[in-house]
């Protein structure tokens, strides 16, 4: 059987649209507005942090651009200051600060982290090069000969050079081409060196530069900046996960085969409501058994969490996740999270369309279960190519029936010629996403599946009335 | 990034940088006046283009030596001139109507400035000795030190009533 499109809950389709009440609309838009206010605030804060750095530099008045030498030196100092500020912004973006995660989502925050990386790196390289040239010119040395002189300028300068070296290593290993050559864990450990890079470079800023004489506002500001960033990292990156892992004491309670190569791992723990995890969010899980402890897995919940249980559903693909299927009940589990705004919280509209493929069903299933969607507010579309039923299919159907959400299954092979997120059959019939969701205009779109497939869904949806800010996507190939 | 975020962020950042610039401008004016040769008149006319070879006019503190000895010879200490990175005091030796030596006492606020001074001082010394005056070019990369050096030197020459 190729290409069937089944409205599973046909009877639900005729639900009165008035169910979408005024209050639901107001609640959703209020949440969205608050999130956007937070977004404005956070974006402004990070820009202003750069502006303050420039302002403090200008306010000190020790710079001048009158001669080539002093211009080079001043530009070098400014480049280093802005570059360092951007690195600190990057650290904060990666620190799992709750307000950032709730506003942008962890993936968007990391996207911004990557986007800032290049300018930050180039500015810091420029800082080193320009100061070698500038200081060299002022003492009649060429930039290379200036290096040893620089090294001895202050006892903190060797650390600054080490910091720069570490930064180069961190950045080079993060270039896409280089990064692929390493297992994720190796790359990640190398990436953590950036903390040491910042730590090694910070003192030379306060000891060498004249901007930072004792008691100057510049020194106070930068010192505060370093302390705040360090506290954010220590709290949200380290303390909170450790405390939560201990407090909730998660252990594997059961492993259920869902399909060949797919298992659900059920875990139990204490006081899990306190985590305030929402269906659609993910945790970074670490299973403390001999073969799996070194590998942390970012995986979405596949069911709404209860007070004492959580569940994930894993497709065992890589070397690390293959071992997951063999984890024994009783194995301790440590967690980081919950993260992500692939949740009802991100809604901008009372109507929502959920599109999932493969293992991407899991967060969508959990989110549906957790959501307070009224009947008729949601439509679910599942894309599937295999012979068997999609993962968790039975659960999903029952859930959709109880929520009054029509669910469509698009199965069969993909078209050979034109790329499409649908099956060949559906494409031949001229279907678009609007065929499944007549009132697509103004609805939220939640997509979860492989990256290229998700992009095709989004493209289709944008052409049929979904706005860019209403697209919520979780790619599981990152 | 959303349009609203962009404008809010840009406006706030622009304001912050402007404030910094203003503070810097207030800050920089007295510093230049005390350390560089730009006198009030040239500053008002064209503050952006102080010519590096301009003759530093003696300041009030520099012309402290009221009762001047004869210009026949001797050793004369110039004023201690402060600049953002330290102080400079030049002591000249006049013999037979000629400027025969210029010794300098330097203090610096940091290691980098010390290196600049170590580099610049001999160059300044040899150029003033050959020019027999303070009308020499400042050393590139050591503008503050040079200006302070030449100002201190001029005050010493004034004390000696030396007109090279």
């Amino acid at each position: 059987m190729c290409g069937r499109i089944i409205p599973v809950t046909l009877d639900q389709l005729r639900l009165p649209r008035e169910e979408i009440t005024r209050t639901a609309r107001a609640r959703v838009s209020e949440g969205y507005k608050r999130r956007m206010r937070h977004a404005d605030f956070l974006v402004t804060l990070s820009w202003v942090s750069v502006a303050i750095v420039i302002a403090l530099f200008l306010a000190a008045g020790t710079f001048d651009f009158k001669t080539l030498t002093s211009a080079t030196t001043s530009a070098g100092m400014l480049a280093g200051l802005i570059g360092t500020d951007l690195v600190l912004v990057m650290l904060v973006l990666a620190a799992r600060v709750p307000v950032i995660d709730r506003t942008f989502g962890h993936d968007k925050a990391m996207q911004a982290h990557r986007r800032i990386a290049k300018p930050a790196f180039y500015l810091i390289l420029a800082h080193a090069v320009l100061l070698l040239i500038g200081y060299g010119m002022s003492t009649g040395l060429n930039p290379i000969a200036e290096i040893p002189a620089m090294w001895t300028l202050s006892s903190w300068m060797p650390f600054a050079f080490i910091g720069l070296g570490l930064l180069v290593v961190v950045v080079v290993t993060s270039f896409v081409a280089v990064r692929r050559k390493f297992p994720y864990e190796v790359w990640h450990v190398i990436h953590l060196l950036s903390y040491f890079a910042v730590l090694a470079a910070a003192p030379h800023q306060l000891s060498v530069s004249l901007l930072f004489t004792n008691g100057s506002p510049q020194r106070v500001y930068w010192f505060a900046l370093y302390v705040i960033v360090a506290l954010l990292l220590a709290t949200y990156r380290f303390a909170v996960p450790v405390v939560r892992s201990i407090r909730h004491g998660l252990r594997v309670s059961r492993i259920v085969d869902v399909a060949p190569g797919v298992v659900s791992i059920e875990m139990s723990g204490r006081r899990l409501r306190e985590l305030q995890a929402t269906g659609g969010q993910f945790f970074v899980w670490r299973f403390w058994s001999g073969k799996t402890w070194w590998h942390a897995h970012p995986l979405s919940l596949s069911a709404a969490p209860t007070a004492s249980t959580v569940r994930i559903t894993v497709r065992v693909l890589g070397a690390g996740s293959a071992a997951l299927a063999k984890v024994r009940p009783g194995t301790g589990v440590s967690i980081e999270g919950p993260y992500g705004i692939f949740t009802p919280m991100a809604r901008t509209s009372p109507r929502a369309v959920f599109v999932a493929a493969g293992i991407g069903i899991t967060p969508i299933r959990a989110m549906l279960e957790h959501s307070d969607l009224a009947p008729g507010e949601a439509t679910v579309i599942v894309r599937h190519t295999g012979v068997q039923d999609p993962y968790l299919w039975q659960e999903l159907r029952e859930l959709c029936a109880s929520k009054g959400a029509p669910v469509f299954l698009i199965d069969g092979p993909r078209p050979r010629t034109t790329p499409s997120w649908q099956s060949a059959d559906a494409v031949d019939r001229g279907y678009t996403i609007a065929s499944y969701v007549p009132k697509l205009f103004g609805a939220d779109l939640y997509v979860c599946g492989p990256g290229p497939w998700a992009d095709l869904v989004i493209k289709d949806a944008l052409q049929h009335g979904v706005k860019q800010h209403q697209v919520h996507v979780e790619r599981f190939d990152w | 990034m959303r349009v609203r975020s962009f404008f809010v962020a840009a406006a706030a950042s622009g304001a912050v940088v402007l404030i910094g610039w203003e503070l810097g401008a207030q800050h920089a004016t007295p510093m230049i006046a005390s350390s560089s040769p730009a006198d009030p008149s040239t500053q008002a006319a064209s503050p952006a283009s102080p010519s590096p070879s301009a003759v530093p006019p003696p300041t009030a503190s520099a012309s402290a030596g009221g009762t001047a000895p004869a210009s026949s010879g001797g050793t004369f200490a110039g004023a201690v001139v402060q600049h953002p990175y330290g102080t400079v005091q030049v002591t000249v030796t006049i013999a037979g109507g000629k400027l025969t030596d210029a010794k300098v006492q330097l203090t610096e606020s940091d290691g980098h400035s010390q290196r600049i001074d170590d580099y610049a001082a001999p160059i300044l010394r040899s150029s003033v000795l050959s020019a027999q005056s303070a009308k020499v070019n400042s050393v590139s990369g050591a503008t503050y030190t040079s200006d302070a050096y030449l100002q201190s030197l001029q005050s010493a020459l004034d004390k000696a009533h030396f007109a090279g």
Side-chain angles (χ1 to χ4, degrees):
Chain A
M1 67 178 141
C2 66
R4 84 201 135 102
I5 298 163
I6 313 172
V8 174
T9 49
L10 263 181
D11 52 328
Q12 304 279 9
L13 276 173
R14 267 170 263 113
L15 275 166
R17 294 283 165 174
E18 296 81 75
E19 292 282 350
I20 303 170
T21 58
R22 224 170 268 276
T23 50
R25 196 177 291 277
R27 191 192 62 230
V28 165
S29 77
E30 190 43 52
Y32 174 66
K33 278 181 190 154
R34 186 172 339 112
R35 204 159 64 83
M36 288 303 108
R37 279 198 299 273
H38 287 172
D40 289 342
F41 175 71
L42 290 170
V43 168
T44 305
L45 196 65
S46 41
W47 276 53
V48 166
S49 78
V50 175
I52 290 176
V53 163
I54 299 173
L56 286 175
F57 176 77
L58 294 176
T62 50
F63 68 100
D64 75 83
F65 290 91
K66 289 193 203 92
T67 67
L68 186 60
T69 311
S70 62
T72 311
T73 308
S74 297
M77 284 180 180
L78 195 55
L81 292 169
I82 297 173
T84 307
D85 184 75
L86 290 181
V87 169
L88 294 178
V89 169
M90 286 174 68
L91 289 180
V92 173
L93 282 171
R96 277 75 160 161
V97 181
V99 65
I100 294 176
D101 187 53
R102 278 200 306 269
T103 306
F104 301 105
H106 180 65
D107 56 340
K108 285 264 171 59
M110 293 316 282
Q111 218 172 22
H113 173 94
R114 284 190 290 270
R115 209 175 315 144
I116 300 175
K118 253 189 201 161
F121 180 59
Y122 291 145
L123 280 167
I124 286 176
L125 277 188
H127 165 68
V129 170
L130 287 174
L131 281 183
L132 282 176
I133 295 172
Y135 277 24
M137 276 174 10
S138 68
T139 46
L141 293 172
N142 69 53
I144 306 298
E146 179 65 26
I147 291 175
M150 234 13 173
W151 186 276
T152 53
L153 196 58
S154 138
S155 53
W156 289 111
M157 279 310 293
F159 290 94
F161 278 99
I162 292 167
L164 183 66
L166 288 175
L167 198 67
V168 169
V169 170
V170 167
V171 171
V172 167
T173 52
S174 291
F175 289 145
V176 177
V178 184
R179 185 175 164 174
R180 291 224 176 96
K181 293 198 185 359
F182 295 101
Y184 175 83
E185 285 68 32
V186 175
W187 169 82
H188 191 234
V189 168
I190 293 174
H191 215 71
L192 293 179
L193 290 176
S194 49
Y195 297 145
F196 294 97
V198 174
L199 219 53
H204 93 279
Q205 183 187 352
L206 301 177
S207 77
V208 175
S209 176
L210 283 171
L211 265 177
F212 301 103
T213 46
N214 275 330
S216 65
Q218 285 80 1
R219 192 182 182 90
V220 172
Y221 174 78
W222 273 91
F223 200 78
L225 204 59
Y226 279 117
V227 169
I228 289 168
V229 172
L231 282 180
L232 285 176
L233 281 168
T235 308
Y236 295 113
R237 193 80 177 86
F238 296 100
V240 167
V242 168
V243 168
R244 281 187 180 163
S245 296
I246 294 170
R247 180 169 175 78
H248 299 293
L250 278 179
R251 295 199 170 273
V252 175
S253 54
R254 201 156 68 106
I255 302 220
V256 184
D257 283 323
V258 172
V262 178
V263 294
S264 278
I265 302 176
E266 295 174 13
M267 290 161 271
S268 56
R270 298 180 295 265
R271 294 177 289 226
L272 298 183
R273 291 253 184 262
E274 288 172 17
L275 288 170
Q276 297 187 318
T278 314
Q281 286 190 302
F282 69 95
F283 286 83
V284 180
W285 313 86
R286 198 181 286 276
F287 295 86
W288 290 91
S289 77
K291 277 185 187 157
T292 53
W293 70 267
W294 55 275
H295 197 316
H297 305 268
L299 292 167
S300 297
L301 297 170
S302 66
T306 69
S308 61
T309 61
V310 287
R311 189 186 79 173
I312 55 175
T313 302
V314 196
R315 191 153 151 230
V316 282
L317 280 172
S321 52
L324 277 190
K326 300 192 190 77
V327 164
R328 295 227 175 83
T331 305
V333 185
S334 63
I335 49 169
E336 296 165 38
Y339 301 132
I341 52 164
F342 193 70
T343 65
M345 204 172 67
R347 286 168 68 193
T348 65
S349 150
R351 278 174 296 117
V353 185
F354 299 89
V355 190
I359 200 72
I361 281 183
T362 58
I364 292 210
R365 184 220 167 281
M367 194 186 334
L368 272 175
E369 186 180 7
H370 214 136
S371 69
D372 51 359
L373 287 160
E377 287 187 350
T379 308
V380 180
I381 304 171
V382 175
R383 173 78 180 103
H384 181 63
T385 47
V387 184
Q388 277 127 353
D389 278 345
Y391 311 129
L392 308 177
W393 178 234
Q394 196 56 39
E395 289 181 15
L396 186 72
R397 281 177 63 165
E398 285 164 12
L399 200 59
C400 287
S402 74
K403 293 276 179 186
V407 49
F408 298 88
L409 174 68
I410 310 174
D411 75 351
R414 64 179 85 175
R416 283 163 202 240
T417 48
T418 49
S420 167
W421 63 277
Q422 304 180 85
S423 67
D425 191 42
V427 172
D428 287 345
R429 296 187 198 194
Y431 289 157
T432 68
I433 190 165
S435 314
Y436 309 94
V437 196
K439 290 190 97 182
L440 186 65
F441 185 82
D444 277 309
L445 175 75
Y446 286 83
V447 191
C448 188
W453 172 85
D455 290 338
L456 290 168
V457 177
I458 293 165
K459 196 175 150 204
D460 193 5
L462 290 177
Q463 282 170 358
H464 289 93
V466 172
K467 304 277 190 305
Q468 185 68 53
H469 73 274
Q470 298 177 307
V471 172
H472 315 283
V473 61
E474 190 91 327
R475 297 176 168 85
F476 48 71
D477 50 1
W478 52 276
Chain B
M1 193 178 6
R2 292 177 348 113
V3 177
R4 194 176 76 186
S5 296
F6 176 85
F7 280 112
V8 173
S13 305
V16 169
V17 171
L18 266 179
I19 292 169
W21 177 262
E22 268 309 307
L23 288 174
Q26 286 173 12
H27 214 274
T29 316
M31 200 140 68
I32 288 169
S34 72
S35 65
S36 83
D39 66 8
S41 62
T42 56
Q43 216 170 46
S46 59
S49 59
S51 88
S53 57
V55 185
T59 62
S61 67
S63 56
T67 51
S71 69
S72 56
T75 302
F76 305 91
V80 178
V81 178
Q82 194 153 17
H83 62 94
Y85 304 105
T87 61
V88 182
Q89 184 181 26
V90 181
T91 304
V92 295
T93 307
I94 312 278
K98 289 199 75 169
L99 176 59
T100 56
D101 196 13
K103 288 197 170 63
V104 67
Q105 277 229 304
L106 297 157
T107 66
E108 297 89 4
S109 54
D110 64 312
H112 177 61
S113 304
Q114 195 174 341
R115 291 179 51 231
I116 293 178
D117 283 0
D118 291 349
Y119 163 75
I123 298 176
L124 286 165
R125 180 179 177 273
S126 70
S127 53
V128 298
L129 288 184
S130 61
Q132 288 292 304
S133 85
K135 292 171 192 156
V136 298
N137 286 328
S138 57
V139 176
S140 167
T143 319
Y144 285 119
T145 302
S146 303
D147 291 347
Y149 184 103
L150 297 174
Q151 194 179 337
S152 179
L153 175 81
Q154 187 62 53
S155 74
L157 297 180
D158 289 345
K159 245 189 213 174
H161 294 297
F162 178 86

